[in-house]
Amino acid sequence: MSKKGKNLESMEFWTVIEKMDFNGRGHYEAGRWLVENSGLTFSELKVVEATARRKQASLYRQLFDVTGVSDDSYDDLRWQIVANGKEFYNNITLEKAQSMIDNNEFTESFGYAFHEVDDIVDEQQRANLFLKKERAMKHIEQIRKTGGGFDQKLVAAFEHADNGNKRRLAIGFPELFEHLVD
């Protein structure tokens, strides 16, 4: 359950898309709403993004025969169809999509709204890596303090190794070193 008592089951995908209000807010503000005000958890945000990407991609073959757009604009068109909501998405035809192109009824990409989710994913991955490095360093410090043993010799070898050999030690002994090398 997320902080505002909502979750993806109670606020299903199309409701989230509607509340993002891309057509009223634009991609940046729609993305900020998604990550800051939707009340969805980190995992739920990733599900919304993945679902939106799948729905946009699923239109590729259905609308492939439209004319008058570049590859980039074709992506924007398909994103616009998703942004327009469930009913619009479920009722899109080749003719309706061509009319959108002919009448310039789509804007640059709703997909950009999900960059905000990507930023959170990147931030979370950096935080997780930091925590793993911290745990690894504490573990190595504990090995240094306890003295003796094979692990202590490995730590000493790691500390004196060049970067190439540190990587080799990390591959051979990931439980000790995998989070300490790039």
Side-chain angles (χ1 to χ4, degrees):
M1 196 65 86
S2 62
K3 63 185 174 194
K4 295 186 180 173
K6 300 174 193 168
N7 61 30
L8 202 50
E9 289 87 38
S10 66
M11 185 165 59
E12 59 114 358
F13 172 77
W14 287 112
T15 303
V16 173
I17 297 301
E18 180 182 322
K19 289 183 176 190
M20 285 176 75
D21 188 23
F22 168 72
N23 294 323
R25 292 183 174 140
H27 65 80
Y28 180 77
E29 289 300 322
R32 294 308 317 156
W33 178 88
L34 180 63
V35 300
E36 293 174 2
N37 300 111
S38 69
L40 297 175
T41 66
F42 177 65
S43 297
E44 291 166 339
L45 291 171
K46 291 191 317 187
V47 169
V48 168
E49 177 187 22
T51 303
R53 291 189 186 285
R54 272 194 315 275
K55 292 199 175 293
Q56 187 263 6
S58 73
L59 295 169
Y60 186 84
R61 287 192 179 152
Q62 178 185 352
L63 305 176
F64 188 74
D65 291 331
V66 295
T67 59
V69 289
S70 66
D71 290 344
D72 188 49
S73 291
Y74 185 56
D75 284 343
D76 293 340
L77 171 72
R78 292 180 292 130
W79 275 115
Q80 183 69 56
I81 292 165
V82 174
N84 287 351
K86 182 178 183 177
E87 185 176 334
F88 195 90
Y89 177 88
N90 286 336
N91 293 307
I92 194 66
T93 62
L94 184 62
E95 294 75 25
K96 194 182 294 186
Q98 186 64 56
S99 175
M100 288 174 70
I101 294 166
D102 296 342
N103 297 315
N104 200 27
E105 295 172 341
F106 64 99
T107 60
E108 193 166 17
S109 192
F110 176 53
Y112 296 154
F114 296 103
H115 287 204
E116 299 298 319
V117 175
D118 295 338
D119 290 347
I120 289 175
V121 170
D122 292 345
E123 193 175 301
Q124 183 70 37
Q125 288 172 339
R126 283 190 301 275
N128 287 342
L129 182 58
F130 176 79
L131 291 173
K132 287 176 183 177
K133 283 183 178 182
E134 286 290 309
R135 275 183 252 149
M137 291 303 295
K138 286 180 183 177
H139 183 69
I140 286 174
E141 190 58 37
Q142 185 62 34
I143 290 170
R144 276 192 206 113
K145 287 179 183 178
T146 57
F150 184 68
D151 285 348
Q152 190 177 36
K153 302 286 190 246
L154 284 173
V155 168
F158 184 83
E159 289 173 341
H160 291 92
D162 62 23
N163 286 338
N165 285 320
K166 283 183 178 183
R167 283 188 202 93
R168 287 184 186 100
L169 283 166
I171 291 168
F173 303 96
E175 68 280 5
L176 292 175
F177 307 119
E178 75 176 330
H179 301 295
L180 301 177
V181 296
D182 294 329

